[in-house]
Amino acid sequence: MRAILVIREFDNFSRILSESGLKVINCQTIAVAPLEDLSEFEAKLDAIKNYDGVFLTSANATEIFRTKLSARNVNFQGKIYVLGKRSFDLLKSENLNLVFAETANTAREMLENIALDELKNKRFLFVRGEKSLRVVPEFLGKIASVDEAIVYRSSRVTIADDKIKEIQAKSANGEIACACFFSPSGARSFLQQFGAEVLHQIKITVIGNTTAEFFERRDLKVDFVARRATAEDFAVELIEYLKI
C-alpha cells in the first residue's frame, strides 16, 4: 500500500486517514505561534465596543481572540464573522453574536454572503496572522473602516536531512501516492527544503483554492482540491478520491 504524505503534524486529518486503513507519513514544515507581544491587539480588545463587528478567517486567530476576550469578561454586542467550521466550533459556546456561512470556503465567499447594507459605513476589526491574505480589508476598504490586528505568525520548521532523503527515496520508488497541503506557507516551506522534483512523482492534493493557486503559479499540477475547507472534509473527500 502506498503512503499518504501529510504536510503537517499528526492531527484529526491524519487520524481519519489512518482509521480508514491508509498509511500516513507526517512532515510538518511550518509552526504557528502567537506573537510574543500582543499589546497592540489587547489595546484594540479593550476598546472593542467601538467596533461594529470582528472578522476571523483562521482558527489560529479565533483561538487567540477567544482567549483574550474571555479574560476581559466583556459583553460584546457586535457581530463576529467567522470563516470555517473549526472557528465556529471554538466560539459557539461563547455568548457572542456569530455570523457563520457553512457553505463559504474562502474569505471572499464569506463576505459575498453578507448584505452590503450590513457592512456599509461600519467599523470592523480584522484579527489575522502575519502572512494572512488581505481579502477582508481589500473588500471592505471602500465601504467601511477596518482596523487590523496581527496575532500570530508562521515560521519554517527545518526538516532533518535523513527525513528529506527518506521521503525523496519513497517518492522515487513509487511508495507515496500523494502529498496533502493545507496552506501556501506550508507548501512554500516544503518546496524550499525538498525542491519541486519530488512532486513530479506524486499527486498534489490541497485544501482550498488559495493553496491550489500557489502551486499553479509555479507550474505544478494540482490533482485534487477539497470542495469543503475543513481538514475533516478534506480527509473524507481524499479517501473517496483515492478509491477512483
Side-chain angles (χ1 to χ4, degrees):
M1 176 186 295
R2 294 196 296 167
I4 310 301
L5 178 60
V6 178
I7 312 304
R8 68 191 295 174
E9 71 279 9
F10 188 94
D11 60 7
N12 203 36
F13 177 84
S14 296
R15 180 189 61 77
I16 293 171
L17 295 185
S18 297
E19 290 179 354
S20 75
L22 294 170
K23 181 180 179 181
V24 174
I25 300 172
N26 290 97
C27 182
Q28 183 180 5
T29 61
I30 59 169
V32 175
L35 297 186
E36 292 181 2
D37 182 5
L38 288 169
S39 58
E40 184 177 335
F41 171 57
E42 290 170 343
K44 288 181 169 63
L45 279 187
D46 289 336
I48 195 169
K49 291 184 179 180
N50 294 331
Y51 295 101
D52 297 293
V54 178
F55 280 89
L56 300 165
T57 59
S58 80
N60 292 309
T62 301
E63 182 66 66
I64 296 168
F65 172 81
R66 182 185 68 168
T67 300
K68 293 295 183 179
L69 186 67
S70 296
R72 281 160 173 72
N73 195 28
V74 175
N75 183 21
F76 180 56
Q77 297 298 313
K79 293 183 177 180
I80 309 291
Y81 300 89
V82 296
L83 175 66
K85 189 174 185 302
R86 185 178 167 201
S87 290
F88 175 75
D89 287 342
L90 284 168
L91 296 177
K92 65 183 180 182
S93 61
E94 306 292 331
N95 185 27
L96 295 169
N97 184 7
L98 301 181
V99 179
F100 170 57
E102 190 172 0
T103 58
N105 290 312
T106 66
R108 179 163 292 278
E109 289 177 2
M110 175 184 70
L111 289 159
E112 289 174 347
N113 272 306
I114 306 169
L116 284 180
D117 288 343
E118 186 177 322
L119 303 172
K120 285 181 178 178
N121 303 316
K122 300 290 180 64
R123 186 182 181 192
F124 298 104
L125 176 63
F126 175 37
V127 185
R128 66 180 182 89
E130 188 176 52
K131 297 179 181 178
S132 298
L133 296 177
R134 303 191 67 257
V135 174
V136 171
E138 289 171 0
F139 184 97
L140 296 175
K142 295 181 179 179
I143 62 172
S145 173
V146 183
D147 290 343
E148 300 181 55
I150 297 173
V151 296
Y152 71 91
R153 64 166 51 96
S154 301
S155 58
R156 188 172 98 164
V157 172
T158 301
I159 311 302
D161 288 342
D162 58 347
K163 178 82 169 181
I164 292 176
K165 291 176 181 177
E166 176 192 354
I167 290 173
Q168 288 174 331
K170 287 181 181 295
S171 175
N173 293 334
E175 297 176 42
I176 298 176
C178 65
C180 306
F181 293 90
F182 298 81
S183 70
S185 296
R188 183 179 297 107
S189 178
F190 180 90
L191 289 176
Q192 288 171 344
Q193 299 185 74
F194 283 85
E197 182 63 29
V198 67
L199 295 179
H200 294 157
Q201 301 157 330
I202 60 180
K203 292 182 182 296
I204 299 174
T205 67
V206 305
I207 184 170
N209 291 325
T210 303
T211 306
E213 290 167 2
F214 170 87
F215 284 110
E216 289 164 359
R217 287 195 298 270
R218 288 157 179 79
D219 295 323
L220 290 167
K221 179 190 174 188
V222 174
D223 298 280
F224 174 79
V225 182
R227 294 189 300 272
R228 299 290 301 279
T230 71
E232 291 76 13
D233 286 324
F234 184 11
V236 171
E237 291 177 24
L238 180 63
I239 291 167
E240 291 302 312
Y241 168 73
L242 293 173
K243 290 179 181 178
I244 299 175

